């Protein structure tokens, strides 16, 4: 019997609607070729590094109907960087060590020909580093933040925007009823795409994003004008990574060991306090949307994008296009070197069409 050719699929970093649709598409596309076996490492690369390894066979039964499900059937973590792998020493203290060589040799022991890593900026940086160490790896861009370069969109982003917009619409009716100012905090660590799209879709008065530091007096002037001389209520959208001019984003001080990033969150409360101090006359309430934006079923666009990404990723393995990432550019599925995707963030362009159009309909960025 001919030996099966094997691909290992990994989902890493924060989860995101559409991950399962990518996994399903890789498996389904592989069925069109003879002799492929698709494996999944449980909980990012941790499954390979465990003893015994935790590897899931991605057969037809495992992937049936999963494209509509949120989360990932392979589970995930943002504490699974093999180059900075967290472990407890003999005294029970958390330490970090480099297990990348061990990871590569374990993957080779499994007889795996190529790895498809579905993840955001942190995961794709790991992909690039593993590629430089000789691993045959391909990236698939995932993140609700849409902050990865080299692709116009990541899957999951539009679902998150829809969830945030639904929340915004609900906040508008209660803001109006109570003559209040309601602040909606959405995700977006480095890039304010979710906040910007939600503000335009919902019709916010103020949109605060990491790329445009805000001046609290300008925010309050805008809100007071709308509140006292206008409609008597107002809605603000703020990205978790937003910050005042000369200030920092709100973060949790103690970073979890091995975590990809500092934990952000809580800017809505700080903004509310700053607005009061700066003379905001209105009654203010805050809503932090949090992980609701990452959960649940992907909208149709993200299922389609994720499926196209999965098909392309498998075909890239067939063509041995390693060290590259699948991308979506100008309405087409393309590829780009991983290096290009991870060297810069996809920030909101402060003078681009989106921001200028938002300003055109009267949205203030607090600048
Ligand atoms: O990168 C996606 C993201 O959802 C960010 O917007 C957010 O800051 C972060 O992940 C939250 O991560 P965690 O789930 O680890 O708290």
């Amino acid at each position: 019997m001919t030996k099966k050719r094997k691909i290992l699929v990994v989902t890493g970093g924060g989860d995101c609607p559409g991950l399962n649709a990518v996994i399903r598409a890789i498996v389904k596309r592989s069925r069109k070729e003879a002799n492929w076996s698709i494996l999944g490492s449980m909980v990012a690369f941790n499954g390979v590094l465990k003893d015994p390894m935790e590897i899931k066979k991605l057969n037809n039964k495992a992937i049936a109907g999963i494209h509509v499900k949120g989360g990932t059937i392979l589970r995930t973590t943002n504490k699974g960087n093999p180059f900075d792998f967290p472990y407890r020493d003999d005294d029970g203290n958390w330490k970090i060590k480099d297990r990348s060589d061990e990871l590569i040799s374990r993957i080779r022991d499994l007889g795996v020909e190529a790895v498809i890593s579905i993840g955001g900026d942190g995961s794709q940086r790991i992909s690039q580093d593993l590629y430089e160490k000789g691993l045959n790896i391909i990236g698939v861009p995932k993140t609700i933040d849409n902050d990865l370069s080299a692709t116009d969109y990541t899957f999951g982003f539009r679902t998150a925007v829809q969830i945030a917009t639904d929340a915004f619409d609900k906040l508008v009716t209660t803001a109006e009823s109570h003559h209040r100012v309601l602040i909606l905090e959405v995700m977006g660590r480095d890039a304010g795409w979710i906040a910007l799209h939600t503000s335009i879709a919902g019709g916010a008065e103020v949109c605060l994003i990491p790329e445009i530091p805000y001046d609290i007096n300008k925010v309050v002037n805008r809100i007071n004008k709308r509140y006292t001389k206008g409609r008597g209520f107002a809605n603000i959208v703020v990205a978790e990574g937003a910050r005042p001019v000369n200030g920092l984003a709100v973060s949790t001080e103690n970073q979890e060991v091995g975590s990809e990033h500092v934990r952000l969150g809580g800017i809505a409360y700080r903004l509310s306090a700053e607005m009061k101090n700066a003379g905001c006359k209105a009654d203010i309430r805050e809503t932090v949307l949090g992980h609701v934006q990452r959960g649940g079923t992907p909208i149709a666009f993200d299922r389609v994008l994720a499926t196209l990404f999965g098909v392309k990723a498998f075909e890239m393995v067939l063509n041995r296009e390693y060290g590259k990432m699948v991308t979506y550019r100008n309405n087409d599925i393309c590829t780009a070197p991983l290096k290009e995707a991870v060297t810069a963030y996809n920030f909101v362009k402060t003078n681009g069409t989106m921001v200028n159009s938002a300003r055109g309909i009267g949205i203030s960025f607090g600048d």
Side-chain angles (χ1 to χ4, degrees), residues 7 9 18-33 36 38 58-60 62-68 73 116 118 140 155 302-315 326:
I7 291 175
V9 180
L19 284 165
N20 286 326
V22 182
I23 297 169
R24 172 175 169 271
I26 294 168
V27 175
K28 282 197 159 250
R29 178 63 184 83
S30 76
R31 298 285 179 258
K32 298 266 168 211
E33 309 290 326
W36 284 90
I38 313 296
L58 295 170
N59 52 25
N60 291 343
I63 56 128
I66 63 169
H67 56 300
V68 299
I73 59 164
I116 298 177
I118 315 168
V140 178
F155 67 85
D302 282 333
R303 292 182 208 178
V304 174
L305 185 61
T307 301
L308 301 188
F309 277 174
V311 167
K312 182 72 175 179
F314 177 80
E315 290 171 353
V326 193

Side-chain angles (χ1 to χ4, degrees), residues 22 124 155 162 179 208 224 342:
V22 182
Q124 300 312 345
F155 67 85
Q162 191 58 55
H179 297 289
L208 303 179
N224 277 349
V342 300

Side-chain angles (χ1 to χ4, degrees), residues 104-312:
I104 292 174
S105 97
R106 281 173 176 245
I107 289 172
R108 290 194 177 132
D109 290 347
L110 280 170
V112 163
E113 184 170 323
V115 173
I116 298 177
S117 171
I118 315 168
D121 58 302
S123 305
Q124 300 312 345
R125 242 168 239 130
I126 295 168
S127 302
Q128 171 64 20
D129 291 346
L130 291 170
Y131 174 66
E132 283 173 18
K133 285 196 141 196
L135 189 68
N136 293 340
I137 193 161
I138 282 162
V140 178
K142 155 255 61 159
T143 164
I144 64 161
D145 290 1
N146 202 39
D147 58 3
L148 258 168
S149 284
T151 186
D152 294 345
Y153 287 109
T154 51
F155 67 85
F157 165 66
R158 290 199 179 187
T159 301
V161 169
Q162 191 58 55
I163 293 168
T165 303
D166 290 345
F168 183 92
D169 291 347
K170 292 182 169 80
L171 292 173
V172 169
T173 58
T174 169
E176 184 168 22
S177 303
H178 282 266
H179 297 289
R180 279 176 172 159
V181 172
L182 292 190
I183 303 174
L184 174 64
E185 177 179 320
V186 297
M187 282 186 171
R189 313 177 54 77
D190 305 289
W193 292 111
I194 298 177
L196 180 54
H197 280 246
T198 304
S199 295
I200 294 174
E205 276 66 56
V206 174
C207 170
L208 303 179
I209 58 175
E211 293 87 342
I212 307 178
Y214 64 87
D215 175 337
I216 195 63
N217 294 314
K218 291 196 172 146
V219 172
V220 169
N221 283 345
R222 175 78 175 82
I223 292 299
N224 277 349
K225 214 188 269 170
R226 150 103 183 184
Y227 191 75
T228 49
K229 298 195 192 118
R231 298 179 64 191
F233 73 98
N235 289 79
I236 298 176
V237 181
V238 58
E240 62 182 350
R243 59 194 166 82
V245 178
N246 300 325
L248 295 173
V250 178
S251 63
T252 308
E253 269 177 30
N254 294 331
Q255 195 182 347
E256 294 157 8
V257 180
S259 178
E260 245 179 34
H261 47 236
V262 173
R263 199 163 159 196
L264 298 184
I267 179 76
Y269 295 101
R270 184 171 83 185
L271 181 65
S272 168
E274 285 172 349
M275 286 173 69
K276 280 280 169 209
N277 283 341
C280 182
K281 301 186 178 72
D283 204 9
I284 310 175
R285 293 289 187 275
E286 314 78 15
T287 301
V288 179
L289 205 50
H291 290 78
V292 170
Q293 293 156 96
R294 291 221 311 240
T297 188
I299 62 167
F301 178 89
D302 282 333
R303 292 182 208 178
V304 174
L305 185 61
T307 301
L308 301 188
F309 277 174
V311 167
K312 182 72 175 179

